[in-house]
Structures are given as C-alpha cells and as structure tokens.
Amino acid sequence: MKKILYYVNQFFGQVGGEEKADIAPTFVKESIGPALGFAQAVKGQAEVCGTMICGDNFFNEHQEEALEFLKKIVTEEKPDLVVAGPAFNAGRYGMACAGVVDFCLKHEIPVLTGMYKENPGVDQIAGKALIVETANSAAGMRKALPVLSKLALKMLSGEEIGKPQDEGYLPRGKRETVIVPERGSLRAVEMLIKRLNGEAFETELPMPVFDNVSPAEAIKDLSKACIALVTSGGIVPLGNPRHLQSASAQMWTKEDVSSLKQLTGSYMTVHGGYDPVYANAMPDRVAPLDILREFEEEGYIGHVYPYFYATTGTGTSVANARRFGQEIGAELKEAGVDGVLLTST
C-alpha cells in the first residue's frame, strides 16, 4: 500500500498556539490533526505513515535544520507522497509548507499542499506543484481535505489530473495542447457574441489583474512637510534584534531614529538579494537618513519623521507586500506624515 507522510505546524499538530511556534520538529507514527481526516479519506487505498510537526517560527528561522529533520524521516519512511497543510491564509505556515514542497521537488518526491490564494507561500511555489485552493481560514478544513485526498490518490495512481477548475487546485500557469471539435476562430466568435449579449462566457486565456493605484497629490510646501523614511532594502539595527527575514519577508520593522543623524555605524542590511558589503559599510546608501537630516537642517523639508520602517523585498509575496504597505501607510497617515521617501536596492 502507498505511504503518505503528512506535515503540519504546531497548532494543527495539537502542540499549542503561538507560544509553541518555536518548537523543533518532531515525528510521530500516527495521524495527527488534519492528517487524521485525510487518513480516513484515503483508507484502503493509501496510508499515512506518520506526521511531522514543526513550529512555524522554527521552520522559517531554522529552515536548514528543519529540512535536515525532514530528510531523515523521508530516508527512513520512504513515503510515496508528502502532503503539507493545508495552511489556509496563515503566512508563516504557508511558507513552511512551501519549504517542504521545494525540498520534495528537489529530491524528486511527489508532494501536495493546500493554501488560500493570497497566502505568501503560493508565490514561492506557484507553477511548481499542485496547491489545493482553500478558504482563508481553518473553517474551510472540511472542504479542503476531500479535495486534497482525491488529488493525492490520483497522484499515487498516476491517473491524469484535470483542469484546475475541475480538480480544485490553483492554476499553475501551464498551457497544454488539447483537441477540441471547433477551431479557434469559431470559439472566439462565439465568446464575442456571448459577451456582446451580456451572456456568461469563459475565456481560454485568463489575463492577470493588476492594482491600479492613483498617485497622491503633490506636497504643496516641502519646507513645512513631515517626511518619513521607508525601505525594502532590509536595513536593520546591528544584530537584527527583531529577526527580520533576509528573503520572503513575513514582517516589517519600525525603529526610533529621532536621535540619529545617519544610520551608518549602528545599522546593517539583512537583505538576501544583493551584495551587502557596501550597504553594511554605509547603510545610508540604501536608506539615506543622512541626506534627509541635511534637508531638515537646511529647511528644505520641515522635519524627518522620528521612526524608520524597513522590510526585505526579495521573494516577498505580493499579498504580504500589499499588507505591509497598508499597515505602514495607516500608521503614517494617522501620525500626520506628509510624504514618504521609499527606497529599494
């Protein structure tokens, strides 16, 4: 009988909540949490050989160690398939599931996961593996498990997997050649007629949808304006005390720079997407607090906002980037900031 290894975080592994997010990985030869319902769904056709449980913080902050543990289990258990999640819209859990998926793909182990479409983990593995589309919270578990188990059995049996809308997984961006009765020109005309008549139709080539952000009004008088400094260049205090991720950021940081004339000497970069040598030597190259202080002294701007915001852009999902912008923007708006100098790398 085919063997399935199941991966869950500390919450679904029934260890605890946020207070247990730092626990190291463990393995039990039984079905825990969602693995139990999954095991019932595939009973008689496959079996769950065990559940790996790992804290979300531990996996994301000690990924090499977590994956070494996973490698040990895979070597011992030799599963035919690994299932991770579903993570719904839990960002750190989603990134951990994405890490499990990347590991399995690297070692040519069939793997399956489930997430909400805006989970940051989706961006990391989109197009690489099957991701069952779930609700944004664990309330959708009952709907997610049957889809996961059905796809798992198809993968194990080698059965052909249908279209995303039929099977319940997120589109992988693949275009496959299929034989249909009508040629393309006829299908295009039919879709056009339906559209003109206000009837429902389904395009064969969905287009991406992008945000359309209207620019803010220009600052009327810079000499009276409060300007804030924000960067996606990963600039943090020496030692990175808040543990900002070097890639695929899950958070942003906020530091009091009201007493500083420059960042050089007390700041560094943790960004994993560029050579850090010059930024570490002079962090103001990435986030120019020194120049803003000069503008402040010259009266070119009113004053510099006392807090500095930072995150890392490399690998960070659109969903997280949008959330960071909304959260930071809300703070700055409430504080009466007039403008933001937003720097990258």
Side-chain angles (χ1 to χ4, degrees):
M1 188 174 289
K2 299 289 187 178
K3 296 169 65 176
I4 299 171
L5 172 65
Y6 211 103
Y7 174 87
V8 296
N9 71 351
Q10 80 282 354
F11 178 79
F12 289 103
Q14 301 177 1
V15 175
E18 189 62 30
E19 76 282 359
K20 295 293 184 180
D22 294 316
I23 65 163
T26 58
F27 175 69
V28 291
K29 282 184 168 289
E30 57 183 300
S31 301
I32 303 293
L36 183 59
F38 181 90
Q40 291 294 322
V42 300
K43 188 175 182 180
Q45 301 175 75
E47 64 177 1
V48 175
C49 62
T51 309
M52 175 177 164
I53 305 167
C54 184
D56 285 334
N57 286 349
F58 187 96
F59 193 103
N60 286 285
E61 294 173 12
H62 308 280
Q63 188 170 118
E64 288 186 12
E65 189 176 337
L67 293 180
E68 276 298 317
F69 187 87
L70 176 58
K71 184 177 181 180
K72 178 176 178 292
I73 299 173
V74 166
T75 302
E76 294 173 354
E77 298 295 328
K78 296 180 174 57
D80 299 291
L81 175 71
V82 174
V83 176
F88 304 103
N89 199 26
R92 286 171 298 165
Y93 189 16
M95 293 302 295
C97 288
V100 171
V101 169
D102 278 334
F103 169 87
C104 291
L105 294 176
K106 180 179 177 182
H107 292 84
E108 299 182 344
I109 304 169
V111 62
L112 176 65
T113 187
M115 301 183 203
Y116 181 59
K117 61 185 178 181
E118 293 187 7
N119 191 304
V122 170
D123 285 349
Q124 181 157 322
I125 56 174
K128 299 180 184 178
L130 287 176
I131 309 172
V132 169
E133 184 173 7
T134 72
N136 66 351
S137 73
M141 183 68 79
R142 288 190 176 184
K143 291 184 177 180
L145 285 181
V147 182
L148 272 172
S149 58
K150 181 182 177 182
L151 275 175
L153 292 175
K154 282 193 171 187
M155 292 174 69
L156 290 171
S157 66
E159 185 179 343
E160 183 179 352
I161 294 173
K163 297 178 181 179
Q165 60 268 34
D166 298 329
E167 301 282 11
Y169 63 89
L170 292 169
R172 291 179 289 177
K174 294 184 177 181
R175 297 177 63 186
E176 299 179 351
T177 300
V178 296
I179 305 299
V180 295
E182 294 182 337
R183 66 179 184 268
S185 58
L186 291 176
R187 302 199 307 276
V189 170
E190 287 177 358
M191 282 192 287
L192 176 59
I193 292 173
K194 287 182 178 179
R195 181 170 184 173
L196 292 173
N197 290 332
E199 300 174 8
F201 68 94
E202 183 179 343
T203 178
E204 296 178 13
L205 188 62
M207 300 302 292
V209 178
F210 299 102
D211 287 343
N212 184 12
V213 181
S214 300
E217 292 184 11
I219 297 174
K220 294 180 180 179
D221 187 354
L222 276 173
S223 66
K224 297 179 181 179
C226 173
I227 305 298
L229 181 58
V230 182
T231 186
S232 63
I235 304 298
V236 297
L238 292 174
N240 191 18
R242 305 191 195 285
H243 307 292
L244 176 64
Q245 296 86 0
S246 61
S248 303
Q250 306 295 301
M251 58 181 286
W252 47 270
T253 62
K254 176 182 178 181
E255 304 295 342
D256 186 346
V257 292
S258 58
S259 62
L260 296 180
K261 288 195 173 183
Q262 60 181 22
L263 298 177
T264 299
S266 54
Y267 277 70
M268 59 178 282
T269 183
V270 294
H271 200 289
Y274 64 90
D275 188 335
V277 173
Y278 294 105
N280 283 337
M282 188 177 176
D284 296 87
R285 286 178 169 134
V286 178
L289 178 64
D290 56 349
I291 303 300
L292 282 179
R293 288 299 184 203
E294 289 182 16
F295 286 167
E296 186 179 44
E297 290 174 3
E298 295 169 0
Y300 184 73
I301 63 174
H303 65 277
V304 179
Y305 186 61
Y307 293 97
F308 162 62
Y309 296 79
T311 188
T312 47
T314 184
T316 298
S317 71
V318 173
N320 267 354
R322 184 184 294 115
R323 176 172 63 83
F324 297 166
Q326 291 170 342
E327 292 171 348
I328 295 172
E331 280 201 14
L332 296 179
K333 184 176 182 180
E334 185 177 354
V337 171
D338 299 295
V340 177
L341 180 60
L342 174 61
T343 67
S344 184
T345 54

